[in-house]
């Protein structure tokens, strides 16, 4: 009888181990990141991993008695891989939270699994408005293109850019950028004379830029995802479009802090709207930037690093509020409505939409001390995502 009892207990323990539970003593709290660590979006993966690791290093890995552990899976910049990786993280690794998600299709592929398993999913990059509507377990700390582009649409026609060509990457966040920029530009007396879309994979901007040159607009408005901005700026300059009197404007992904030093003097004066600049003048941001540069051998932090840093804060605070219990529904409830100062400025998680509410800044590229920065010159305060289904 005793022996049978013992065998039974052992079998249970084995089963628990096999499924990732090491028993009641296991106090680990696992955050499963799915990120593009290789492939065309690799800079996104690098930035998010570094931002999250910095938060963990600064705040320690013990929260409400739980040992926080980051597990990072590489989706190789292929969104189709996300579903399988999410399944592994949920079923084998038994993660408490899913996080990361470089591009929109990656986030959308995983959303149904977050719902089925009741696992909170913190979006640290992907920026299409509809993503938060794809699962009630999604919370976003990055931005939305509707939020960013509407601000540029308001600013441009009042500042000499009335006839504008838009050029966006041909997928969901690009459509949001195109739509909200146009809507706001038009409301303010401007006109989009042509809307161009370039492929996500291996884009060749040359033929599109030639077309823009022929159309001679006041300005070219650009949205491309993080990592593609430098190529656009380079080709814009190679064609002498700045000298032909066409201004370059866009969302801040174009003048990515990660790539800005590679663009050179040609980027000077480029105006973008965005949620984060590494030159944001606050004590908290200075501390963040200094620590990030120190920990990452000169790699400059961009908006994705900050979204990851803040995403970790949201997870940590939720874990504290729930006293380390860590159930999906309770964590999610504790994430809704959080408000705090980020390196980007004040931000909060809208309790209704679970999307980020934040300041959107107008910035101009300037050279200071031999480096290039997006220097903020105007602010729209507490902007909610205008792109939610009504
Ligand atoms: C998305 C990805 C990016 O890298 C970015 O800068 C903006 C949006 C996206 O796919 O949603």
């Amino acid at each position: 009888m005793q022996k049978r009892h013992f065998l039974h207990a052992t079998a249970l323990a084995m089963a628990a181990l096999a499924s990732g539970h090491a028993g009641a003593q296991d106090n680990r709290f696992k955050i499963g990141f799915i990120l593009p660590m290789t492939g065309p979006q690799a800079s996104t993966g690098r930035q998010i991993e570094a931002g999250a690791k910095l938060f963990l290093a600064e705040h320690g890995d013990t929260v409400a008695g739980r040992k926080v552990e980051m597990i990072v899976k590489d989706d190789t910049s292929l969104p189709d891989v996300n579903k399988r990786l999410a399944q592994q993280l949920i079923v084998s690794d038994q993660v408490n939270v899913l996080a990361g998600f470089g591009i929109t299709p990656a986030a959308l592929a995983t959303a149904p699994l977050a719902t089925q398993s009741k696992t909170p999913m913190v979006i640290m990059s992907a920026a299409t408005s509809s993503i938060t509507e794809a699962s009630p377990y999604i919370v976003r700390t990055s931005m939305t293109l509707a939020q960013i582009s509407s601000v540029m649409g308001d600013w441009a026609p009042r500042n000499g850019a009335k006839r504008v060509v838009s050029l966006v990457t041909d997928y969901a966040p690009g459509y949001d950028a195109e739509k909200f920029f146009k809507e706001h530009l038009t409301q303010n007396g401007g006109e989009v004379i042509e809307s161009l879309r370039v492929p996500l994979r291996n884009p060749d901007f040359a033929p599109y830029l030639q077309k823009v040159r022929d159309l001679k607009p006041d300005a070219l408005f650009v949205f491309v995802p993080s990592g593609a901005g430098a190529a656009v700026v380079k080709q814009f300059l190679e064609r002498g479009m700045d000298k032909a009197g066409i201004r370059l404007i866009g969302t801040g992904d174009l003048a990515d802090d990660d790539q800005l030093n590679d663009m050179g003097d040609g980027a000077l004066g480029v105006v973008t709207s965005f949620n984060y600049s590494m030159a944001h003048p606050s004590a908290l941001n200075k501390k963040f930037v200094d620590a990030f540069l120190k920990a990452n051998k000169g790699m400059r932090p961009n908006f994705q690093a900050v979204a990851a840093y803040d995403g970790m804060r949201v997870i940590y605070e939720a874990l504290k509020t729930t006293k380390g219990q860590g159930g999906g529904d309770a964590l999610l409830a504790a994430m809704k409505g959080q408000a705090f100062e980020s390196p980007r400025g004040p931000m909060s998680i809208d309790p209704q939409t679970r999307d980020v509410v934040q300041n959107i800044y107008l910035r101009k590229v300037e050279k200071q001390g031999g480096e290039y920065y997006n220097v903020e010159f105007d602010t729209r305060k507490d902007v909610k995502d205008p792109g939610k289904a009504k």
Side-chain angles (χ1 to χ4, degrees), residues 316-337:
Y316 268 47
E317 289 305 315
L319 190 52
K320 282 185 208 163
T321 305
T322 57
K323 302 197 165 37
Q325 296 301 308
D329 284 310
L331 284 173
L332 197 87
M335 289 178 182
K336 293 180 188 177

Side-chain angles (χ1 to χ4, degrees), residues 85-95 98 110 113-114 117 119:
L85 295 179
Q87 246 149 10
Q88 276 176 16
L89 286 168
I90 294 165
V91 177
S92 309
D93 297 306
Q94 304 251 322
V95 296
L98 290 163
T110 302
L113 297 176
S117 63
T119 308

Side-chain angles (χ1 to χ4, degrees), residues 278-288 341-345 376:
M278 71 176 284
H280 177 68
S282 73
L284 182 67
N285 185 49
K286 185 166 181 354
K287 187 173 155 279
F288 167 78
E341 191 194 348
S342 150
R344 73 186 86 176
E376 295 166 1

Side-chain angles (χ1 to χ4, degrees), residues 182-201:
K182 183 175 181 172
E183 213 172 276
H184 283 253
L185 186 86
T186 310
Q187 280 166 12
N188 287 279
E191 186 193 356
V192 172
I193 58 171
E194 183 83 77
S195 302
L196 303 172
R197 294 176 176 181
V198 297
L200 177 63
R201 296 265 147 208

Side-chain angles (χ1 to χ4, degrees), residues 44 102-104 125-128 143 145 171 173 223-226 253 303-304:
T44 293
I103 61 173
T104 290
S125 168
T128 302
M143 55 152 178
L145 267 313
Y171 75 134
F223 159 72
V224 288
S226 186
D253 323 61
F303 59 110
Q304 296 167 318

